Amino acid sequence: MTTLALEGVRVLDMTHVQSGPSATQLLAWLGADVVKVEAPGGDVTRGQLRDVPGADSLYFTMLNCNKRSITLNTKSERGQEIFTALLRGADVLVENFAPGAVDRMGFAWERIREINPRIVYASIKGFGEGPYTGFKAYEVVAQAMGGSMATTGFEDGPPMATGAQIGDSGTGIHAVAGILAALLQRERTGRGQRVNVAMQHAVLNLCRVKLRDQQRLARGPLAEYPNEDFGDEVPRSGNASGGGQPGWAVRCAPGGPNDYVYVIVQPVGWAPLSALIGRPELADDPEWATPEARLPKLAKMFQLIEEWTATLPKWRVLEELNRHNIPCGPILSTREIIEDASLAANDMIVEVEHPERGTFTTVGNPLKLSDSPTTITTPPLLGQHNQEIYIGELGLGDEELRLLKSGGVI
């Protein structure tokens, strides 16, 4: 019988929207028993961006697979007593409320630690301690304040947000790392601890190469950037790789919005690439033969490559480049990704049955553990596991459960 990596770990999930649920879903995929504790009205995303009337939205279902759901009004006296009982049996508590919200419920860290000294209490907030602490945080706000937007986009355009949810789900992944480290440390110390992760901090961690380049600017222009002018801040540089090997997205036939291939030009790849684009003489031309010679002419170099790629479909370009071991990748649209057979074969595009909305497609677990395989299960309906947990695990009676419901506690 397979034992999952986090089997036996009980997580109380008091999260909502995306940053918290993305973290607790990963814990559930790793085998933890994640109990989503929702207010009687439920996670707000159950009804946001709803595409099937009367059913939980994809916003909710794609972030809450493999969990159980109970409802609880933690502002009520009986609700706080029940929550205290839940805390005693938990290994991890995760929340992403506004700063101070859990404290105002009467559950400051000191009290939680008193109730259960072994619990790991993880909080996801927008910002750390300081002038931004009380700011409301959203995905793109975190991108704006973490260094991403200022360095994304083209030189002559405005700051741009990335489509990847680095502020929300990116922070969730950071939170998982902190939780797992705290659980491991607990094995040695016997004590739980606080884990705090801020969205701004997580985005900043993902933007560290731009801070690298900010410091390099003090010693002169950044040669690997295609920009002509440099001030005292790292500029937006379009699709440039910003790394040691120059790269760019080049257009392919027939010229649709995602008919592009991203190409990296390594030193070893220049000769075969020159031949592919019909300019074999450039392989030995001193003006083009070395990386140092090509750096001042990156825009022209990728223009020459695009003159070739623009005549071919992106999958043909991909085939030709890979045949010569030139690093590249097609720009895949969301439709192409959701229909990608290889992603489905790797359990990264997964079909899940839902009792109200039917089958929906979601993203699978990117963490592949050989001894802890993931099976994606349907997200819970609101309060689906009230009876299972309150009666079966906490020992409440049927009559009390009925009274709790009629009294608005659950």
Side-chain angles (χ1 to χ4, degrees):
M1 181 177 177
T2 301
T3 301
L4 300 180
L6 295 183
E7 191 167 312
V9 173
R10 168 68 65 87
V11 178
L12 293 184
D13 177 1
M14 295 187 73
T15 69
H16 57 287
V17 191
Q18 184 180 166
S19 62
S22 67
T24 52
Q25 182 170 251
L26 266 178
L27 295 172
W29 284 344
L30 293 172
D33 174 19
V34 176
V35 178
K36 190 171 179 69
V37 183
E38 301 183 69
D43 186 326
V44 66
T45 59
R46 286 184 182 269
Q48 282 187 346
L49 307 178
R50 184 174 272 161
D51 59 317
V52 176
D56 289 332
S57 71
L58 288 167
Y59 196 174
F60 178 85
T61 62
M62 294 180 70
L63 287 162
N64 290 283
C65 292
N66 293 68
K67 303 178 185 180
R68 299 194 288 169
S69 168
I70 58 175
T71 52
L72 186 64
N73 178 4
T74 55
K75 297 178 181 178
S76 67
E77 183 178 349
R78 184 61 179 133
Q80 292 197 352
E81 292 172 354
I82 292 172
F83 186 58
T84 300
L86 290 167
L87 284 171
R88 288 196 182 101
D91 297 286
V92 179
L93 169 65
V94 189
E95 59 89 12
N96 66 331
F97 292 116
V102 178
D103 290 24
R104 291 191 293 273
M105 290 178 195
F107 292 94
W109 166 232
E110 291 73 21
R111 185 182 174 201
I112 291 173
R113 182 168 50 183
E114 188 177 282
I115 294 167
N116 182 352
R118 289 177 54 81
I119 199 166
V120 172
Y121 175 18
S123 295
I124 295 173
K125 299 291 179 266
F127 308 94
E129 293 297 323
Y132 311 135
T133 302
F135 284 24
K136 287 187 175 180
Y138 281 79
E139 166 66 44
V140 183
V141 172
Q143 290 190 31
M145 297 182 69
S148 176
M149 287 187 71
T151 54
T152 302
F154 286 84
E155 186 176 20
D156 57 353
M160 297 291 289
T162 174
Q165 304 292 284
I166 61 175
D168 275 323
S169 289
T171 306
I173 295 167
H174 283 78
V176 169
I179 290 166
L180 296 180
L183 287 172
L184 183 61
Q185 187 171 5
R186 190 181 71 174
E187 293 299 304
R188 298 194 301 272
T189 66
R191 298 189 309 275
Q193 62 182 293
R194 284 287 268 130
V195 175
N196 287 293
V197 184
M199 293 168 67
Q200 182 191 29
H201 299 172
V203 172
L204 176 57
N205 185 45
L206 298 173
C207 291
R208 68 174 60 221
V209 296
K210 298 303 181 180
L211 266 69
R212 173 201 69 191
D213 292 345
Q214 177 64 39
Q215 296 171 81
R216 293 173 58 231
L217 263 178
R219 294 170 176 81
L222 306 173
E224 72 283 356
Y225 279 55
N227 308 64
E228 292 184 5
D229 300 314
F230 288 88
D232 59 359
E233 298 172 339
V234 174
R236 291 185 279 281
S237 56
N239 288 317
S241 69
Q245 312 298 333
W248 198 258
V250 291
R251 184 177 290 277
C252 303
N258 291 299
D259 288 323
Y260 288 84
V261 167
Y262 198 87
V263 182
I264 299 284
V265 181
Q266 295 176 310
V268 70
W270 180 242
L273 189 54
S274 299
L276 273 177
I277 67 175
R279 299 292 300 273
E281 72 279 5
L282 297 181
D284 299 316
D285 185 336
E287 293 293 313
W288 290 94
T290 66
E292 293 75 20
R294 293 191 294 272
L295 269 179
K297 303 189 283 286
L298 290 182
K300 178 63 177 177
M301 178 182 74
F302 285 110
Q303 179 189 334
L304 293 173
I305 295 170
E306 189 170 81
E307 288 174 2
W308 169 67
T309 62
T311 67
L312 300 170
K314 66 182 178 184
W315 296 105
R316 175 69 186 282
V317 171
L318 184 74
E319 179 183 342
E320 291 295 323
L321 292 175
N322 274 296
R323 192 159 57 86
H324 292 86
N325 205 29
I326 296 167
C328 62
I331 308 303
L332 296 181
S333 70
T334 49
R335 179 182 60 80
E336 287 173 312
I337 285 173
I338 213 167
E339 295 174 355
D340 191 298
S342 68
L343 290 173
N346 280 276
D347 293 324
M348 283 308 303
I349 294 295
V350 182
E351 300 290 316
V352 179
E353 288 291 334
H354 189 273
E356 292 181 343
R357 63 176 299 120
T359 302
F360 70 94
T361 302
T362 192
V363 177
N365 186 1
L367 308 178
K368 309 296 187 186
L369 279 65
S370 62
D371 287 355
S372 187
T374 300
T375 299
I376 308 295
T377 62
T378 194
L381 301 177
L382 180 61
Q384 179 180 338
H385 301 93
N386 280 351
Q387 183 170 342
E388 179 177 299
I389 291 174
Y390 289 140
I391 294 177
E393 297 178 15
L394 291 190
L396 305 185
D398 291 330
E399 178 61 15
E400 182 175 8
L401 196 68
R402 186 185 67 78
L403 292 173
L404 290 173
K405 186 173 183 179
S406 63
V409 178
I410 64 172

